[in-house]
Amino acid sequence: MLCFILLLAALILPTGKKALQLKRSHTSSYMNITSCPITYYGQKYYKVYVAFNANIFAVCFNGSYKPGIKNDCILMSGGSADRGDLAVLTKEIPTGSGIHKLLPDIKNAGKCVNIIPLKDSQQSQVSVFQFHFCGLFSFHFNSQVNGLTVFKQKFHTNETNKGVLTDVSGCRLSGFVYKTNTTVKDPNICSTVNCNVSGVATAVSDCGPMELCQGNGSCILNTMCTVTGSTVIDFIGRVHSVPDRCGYTLMKPSSIPDFQVLGVFQERRRKDVSFLDSVILQLGTEGVQIFLEQGGRVQLNDSVLNLNATAQVVHGVELSKDQTGVTAKISASNHTVSVHFDGHTTLIHMTGPSAASVQGLCGNYNRSVSEEQVSKHSASGCEMQYNDTADSTINCNTTTEWCNILKHPPFTTCNINPEPFITACTRTLCKYPTVDGLKCQFLEAYARACSQQNNVTVENWRSNTNCGEDAFCQDRFCSAHEFCGEKNYGGEPHCLCRAIFASKYRSMSTFGEPTVCGQTSASVILANCLLEEQSINYSVLHLNDQACKGEMDNLTHMVTFTFDSSSNTCGAVVMVNKTHITYKNTIMTQNFSTFGFINRNAKVHMDFSCYYSQPNISNLAIKLKHSAVIQQITSGEWNYNLTMKAYTDSERLEAIEPGTDIQLDETIWVELKTDGLDENLVLLVTDSCWATDQPSPNGTLRYNIIINGCPNPADQTVKAEGNGLRTSNYFAFNSFQFSGKTGDVYLHCKVELCVRQGNTCAPSCSQAERRRRSAMSKSEDENPVFITMAWTS
């Protein structure tokens, strides 16, 4: 709809319904004109505000008239008038009417008229505003758009008596107004603008896609790349989506040699949605890397930098930090790159006298996302794609409505295209819940881009959208497998587990890794973020001995509980059966009294243990003249070796080697020795040894050498030393052969581990005992444990 203004000195007011009455004593009044809206310089209005201000009568459309305040208004001299009415009349103005002949640019028919007659105190009509499409009657008037005068008219007496009809229709573009059916070259926006008869303006810019108009017809390089969530809005407004959790080149400008900006992406609560996690400034020739990380932490290679609002120059890069995040700035060849990172969004602002070529996801090259991946900063398997179950709590229609806020005031004051930011917002929030400040993240990214690139402040956007000003997660540092987020909606930020890290533990309903059994120690490592998910505070956990608590690693946030079976058992319980010696401890919560305490921690009871297996070497028959018998015992992860070796002397210095001849009735010394056992905890007991004519312990022929831990009383050549006193023992006997047999003779021994604490492990083997024990019946275990070797008779 087009607008024109008709001015007459006097007019007889047609009969109509008076809908508004105004007196000079009133501040202002407004009327709903939905039934006859007015289009004023391309903007349609459904309300009109009228007011007397000194000697001025004002008709405004964006609120009451106030000098100096931006508004769309028509101002005229009020003369002697001190009151007025407003009426809406239905009146057909067909095409081809006198008005259309006088104003040929108007193509549409009219259907109604808004009339405001002004009167003096004697009720005499002084002048009239009359709007056809958009029109008025007056002696003097000027039209204002956004508080600026765009048209001014003054009439002589003879003209006002006859009446003057003036067309003030037009178009709006980038805050400027243009006359209908005109084409102008506007230096204010460095563009050629066409305003057609329909009130629609189009512009062809003289600036390149990375340049900004200076307002005087000249263009300079002034471009912004925004990376928020998994979306990259590049320097020319294109939108790229990062599909995984790898590192990528964001920008590599030709004007600043050996400098590039990288971005590393990671998942948070869902495995199939990634977010910008850190930004890396790489200075190639010097091998310098500056890491902008979560929580505002900045590292120069491996050293953490302490920053504040005062800029520090590090290898030619200005670094500063305030409540909004970290800013890095570098300049070369009259070009400046500024990188701002708040832990969620990075804004890369590049300025200079002329455009420059830029590689990377932010740049103006036509390369795919995968081509910009940087292997050095991409973890193994980062390309793997996931497809998590859809979140049933998410309503994408509601999300889209929220993201479209960027199309409405107060964001309309920014002349950056909001569509890429709306795309980033909807892509993320249609899959990911609106937690961790994410709902406001995209609005803030847009508002900050407006401020940094165009120096335009989006007023009151936080209060209008209920988005707080606090820097979420500032100075909270999480480990590599964590991210900073809200444990409860709207609650304090915590370090929460990343989805991929947590998935393997959640599937097994555990809080961390399996028990690690060292030489004499046992330890369990738990992830604090998994504990916090279940409202467990690691500091209130302890072992059976309450003095034994978990220790938090400040870098990884992993919590370790440990005890040592030799020095500090932390109350571990020792359990012995036929197959194992087990040390068990328990991670538990403190025993609070229920009176006078409020306990918000979940009850915890987690058992973990390490054990020694009783020696279990069976049917291992090798010839004595070839080698000793060695077997590794694996007991959970407490490991030790058990060796049986033969010697020709009691000092056990002359080992029987391959080729050593063994004569009948020659004394053989056999040593049973362990490696890896703590003698303060357990001792080795040789329960029995016997010889057979076959490799199996249950041979056809059997001769007992050690019985119930003591030498066979019927064979005076048998001697035993150190049995049950240490982690090794030995015995001696004279070699023999079975009558009528000339083959190999196999030696088998059954050995046990004995817990030293509270036990007497050494057998009592006096001569009387030897006679008595040999006569006793022996109860064999259901699953005997043997070590076997053989010699050639």
Side-chain angles (χ1 to χ4, degrees):
M1 182 181 292
L2 301 180
C3 305
F4 63 88
I5 300 177
L6 177 65
L7 293 100
L8 294 175
L11 180 75
I12 300 174
L13 180 65
T15 304
K17 181 180 179 182
K18 295 181 180 179
L20 175 150
Q21 292 186 335
L22 174 70
K23 294 184 179 180
R24 190 176 287 272
S25 58
H26 297 168
T27 303
S28 66
S29 296
Y30 80 92
M31 179 180 177
N32 188 323
I33 56 171
T34 304
S35 61
C36 189
I38 295 172
T39 299
Y40 183 68
Y41 281 98
Q43 180 71 47
K44 183 177 285 189
Y45 292 104
Y46 298 91
K47 288 182 180 180
V48 62
Y49 298 80
V50 294
F52 288 101
N53 188 293
N55 64 335
I56 294 174
F57 179 69
V59 178
C60 297
F61 303 103
N62 287 321
S64 300
Y65 172 74
K66 293 181 181 179
I69 301 300
K70 293 181 179 180
N71 202 342
D72 287 2
C73 298
I74 299 172
L75 308 180
M76 64 169 285
S77 172
S80 61
D82 65 355
R83 66 200 64 200
D85 300 315
L86 186 149
V88 178
L89 303 179
T90 301
K91 183 177 181 180
E92 290 287 339
I93 307 177
T95 58
S97 69
I99 292 176
H100 289 82
K101 291 177 181 178
L102 290 170
L103 303 175
D105 287 338
I106 297 179
K107 305 299 181 182
N108 301 323
K111 295 184 179 181
C112 59
V113 179
N114 292 288
I115 299 176
I116 304 176
L118 300 182
K119 301 178 181 180
D120 59 17
S121 58
Q122 304 301 317
Q123 295 296 317
S124 299
Q125 186 166 292
V126 175
S127 58
V128 176
F129 276 100
Q130 181 175 332
F131 296 90
H132 301 263
F133 313 92
C134 175
L136 92 94
F137 293 94
S138 175
F139 291 104
H140 306 281
F141 78 95
N142 70 65
S143 299
Q144 293 188 351
V145 175
N146 289 327
L148 300 176
T149 297
V150 296
F151 186 81
K152 183 181 288 188
Q153 187 81 47
K154 182 177 181 180
F155 299 98
H156 300 293
T157 304
N158 61 338
E159 292 177 318
T160 58
N161 289 332
K162 296 177 181 179
V164 176
L165 186 64
T166 305
D167 180 5
V168 292
S169 61
C171 306
R172 302 185 191 209
L173 183 69
S174 301
F176 294 96
V177 174
Y178 304 93
K179 294 288 291 181
T180 302
N181 203 23
T182 60
T183 298
V184 297
K185 190 174 182 65
D186 190 348
N188 293 298
I189 60 174
C190 302
S191 299
T192 300
V193 180
N194 174 260
C195 176
N196 65 23
V197 295
S198 299
V200 177
T202 57
V204 177
S205 177
D206 299 327
C207 299
M210 295 172 61
E211 294 179 320
L212 190 70
C213 182
Q214 288 289 89
N216 58 4
S218 64
C219 306
I220 62 169
L221 176 67
N222 184 342
T223 186
M224 177 76 74
C225 175
T226 302
V227 186
T228 184
S230 60
T231 302
V232 179
I233 304 169
D234 69 19
F235 286 133
I236 56 178
R238 298 174 302 185
V239 176
H240 311 280
S241 183
V242 174
D244 50 33
R245 302 159 308 284
C246 301
Y248 290 89
T249 300
L250 297 181
M251 75 165 296
K252 186 178 181 181
S254 60
S255 57
I256 306 180
D258 301 309
F259 170 75
Q260 56 184 319
V261 181
L262 312 176
V264 180
F265 295 79
Q266 285 278 19
E267 90 284 5
R268 294 183 189 171
R269 297 174 187 265
R270 293 177 60 92
K271 293 179 286 186
D272 58 350
V273 180
S274 62
F275 294 86
L276 179 66
D277 191 65
S278 62
V279 176
I280 304 169
L281 310 182
Q282 191 163 292
L283 307 176
T285 56
E286 302 178 56
V288 174
Q289 293 188 112
I290 300 173
F291 298 85
L292 312 183
E293 300 178 338
Q294 295 292 306
R297 180 166 52 195
V298 178
Q299 285 195 187
L300 172 62
N301 293 336
D302 296 325
S303 302
V304 176
L305 301 178
N306 293 318
L307 301 177
N308 53 38
T310 302
Q312 300 180 30
V313 180
V314 179
H315 292 277
V317 180
E318 289 185 14
L319 296 171
S320 60
K321 175 182 175 182
D322 59 19
Q323 71 275 9
T324 68
V326 176
T327 300
K329 185 181 293 185
I330 185 171
S331 298
S333 304
N334 294 323
H335 287 82
T336 298
V337 174
S338 175
V339 181
H340 182 273
F341 183 53
D342 63 2
H344 305 287
T345 299
T346 190
L347 300 177
I348 304 175
H349 188 199
M350 187 174 183
T351 58
S354 59
S357 62
V358 181
Q359 298 180 33
L361 294 179
C362 288
N364 50 6
Y365 280 66
N366 292 316
R367 286 165 57 91
S368 66
V369 172
S370 60
E371 288 179 293
E372 300 296 350
Q373 184 178 325
V374 181
S375 58
K376 180 180 178 182
H377 296 286
S378 298
S380 176
C382 67
E383 304 96 341
M384 183 178 294
Q385 301 289 307
Y386 294 89
N387 188 17
D388 289 357
T389 304
D391 190 334
S392 60
T393 66
I394 295 175
N395 184 325
C396 197
N397 291 330
T398 302
T399 291
T400 302
E401 184 179 346
W402 167 262
C403 297
N404 279 323
I405 288 176
L406 292 176
K407 294 181 179 178
H408 303 286
F411 296 101
T412 49
T413 59
C414 177
N415 60 0
I416 294 177
N417 182 10
E419 289 298 336
F421 293 84
I422 293 171
T423 299
C425 180
T426 53
R427 278 182 182 177
T428 303
L429 297 184
C430 280
K431 290 186 67 174
Y432 197 92
T434 55
V435 293
D436 309 331
L438 191 59
K439 188 175 183 180
C440 298
Q441 176 177 318
F442 301 96
L443 309 187
E444 182 167 14
Y446 184 70
R448 190 165 286 164
C450 294
S451 175
Q452 290 196 19
Q453 184 178 8
N454 296 336
N455 199 28
V456 173
T457 300
V458 181
E459 301 285 355
N460 303 319
W461 75 267
R462 292 188 183 276
S463 59
N464 290 352
T465 58
N466 294 320
C467 291
E469 295 188 18
D470 295 335
F472 191 74
C473 292
Q474 183 79 310
D475 295 323
R476 179 173 287 275
F477 307 123
C478 300
S479 69
H481 62 260
E482 298 172 328
F483 71 96
C484 181
E486 300 166 334
K487 180 182 173 185
N488 301 307
Y489 184 78
E492 290 296 317
H494 291 260
C495 289
L496 307 180
C497 290
R498 297 191 187 275
I500 296 175
F501 169 83
S503 60
K504 64 178 180 178
Y505 301 109
R506 290 170 182 158
S507 64
M508 298 183 294
S509 299
T510 63
F511 292 107
E513 296 294 329
T515 304
V516 176
C517 299
Q519 192 65 41
T520 61
S521 65
S523 60
V524 170
I525 300 177
L526 308 178
N528 187 59
C529 60
L530 292 170
L531 295 173
E532 286 206 355
E533 283 182 6
Q534 302 300 321
S535 299
I536 299 171
N537 184 342
Y538 87 93
S539 65
V540 303
L541 300 179
H542 58 80
L543 299 182
N544 289 341
D545 182 346
Q546 293 192 21
C548 297
K549 294 181 173 291
E551 294 185 0
M552 168 85 81
D553 185 298
N554 290 330
L555 183 62
T556 65
H557 293 175
M558 301 298 283
V559 182
T560 301
F561 292 86
T562 187
F563 70 88
D564 193 293
S565 57
S566 61
S567 59
N568 184 8
T569 64
C570 290
V573 177
V574 182
M575 300 178 293
V576 182
N577 59 28
K578 294 177 181 179
T579 59
H580 299 89
I581 300 173
T582 303
Y583 286 76
K584 186 182 80 169
N585 219 315
T586 302
I587 301 171
M588 63 183 76
T589 48
Q590 294 179 359
N591 295 321
F592 289 112
S593 167
T594 58
F595 179 77
F597 289 90
I598 297 175
N599 182 15
R600 290 191 172 94
N601 290 289
K603 184 177 181 180
V604 177
H605 187 101
M606 291 183 283
D607 291 333
F608 69 104
S609 62
C610 288
Y611 59 88
Y612 293 110
S613 287
Q614 295 287 7
N616 185 16
I617 304 176
S618 61
N619 300 325
L620 183 59
I622 62 173
K623 294 188 177 180
L624 183 65
K625 64 183 180 182
H626 288 169
S627 68
V629 177
I630 303 175
Q631 176 68 33
Q632 184 182 45
I633 307 298
T634 302
S635 310
E637 293 195 16
W638 272 351
N639 303 325
Y640 63 97
N641 294 328
L642 175 61
T643 304
M644 183 163 67
K645 195 169 184 179
Y647 301 87
T648 59
D649 62 317
S650 60
E651 288 79 19
R652 301 178 305 290
L653 299 176
E654 299 294 332
I656 297 177
E657 302 291 346
T660 302
D661 291 328
I662 304 296
Q663 304 299 320
L664 285 176
D665 205 32
E666 181 177 349
T667 300
I668 298 174
W669 294 84
V670 178
E671 182 178 44
L672 292 159
K673 184 178 181 180
T674 63
D675 179 32
L677 292 179
D678 188 341
E679 199 169 276
N680 294 317
L681 299 177
V682 292
L683 302 171
L684 182 68
V685 177
T686 300
D687 177 76
S688 56
C689 291
W690 64 98
T692 65
D693 62 338
Q694 296 176 5
S696 171
N698 301 315
T700 305
L701 300 174
R702 171 174 174 146
Y703 183 77
N704 291 322
I705 298 172
I706 302 293
I707 303 171
N708 293 328
C710 297
N712 183 353
D715 187 343
Q716 296 302 311
T717 69
V718 180
K719 301 178 180 63
E721 299 290 342
N723 197 10
L725 299 178
R726 293 178 293 276
T727 55
S728 63
N729 60 67
Y730 59 96
F731 63 90
F733 66 96
N734 286 5
S735 62
F736 60 89
Q737 67 181 31
F738 288 103
S739 298
K741 299 284 186 179
T742 58
D744 293 340
V745 178
Y746 298 87
L747 177 64
H748 313 273
C749 288
K750 177 184 175 183
V751 295
E752 300 173 337
L753 298 182
C754 177
V755 178
R756 184 165 191 163
Q757 183 179 3
N759 293 303
T760 300
C761 298
S764 177
C765 297
S766 64
Q767 291 298 318
E769 284 287 331
R770 291 180 66 164
R771 289 191 297 272
R772 182 177 65 80
R773 291 169 67 95
S774 64
M776 294 172 58
S777 63
K778 189 171 188 319
S779 174
E780 298 287 347
D781 290 338
E782 294 179 3
N783 298 299
V785 179
F786 306 109
I787 184 166
T788 304
M789 64 190 311
W791 70 88
T792 300
S793 59

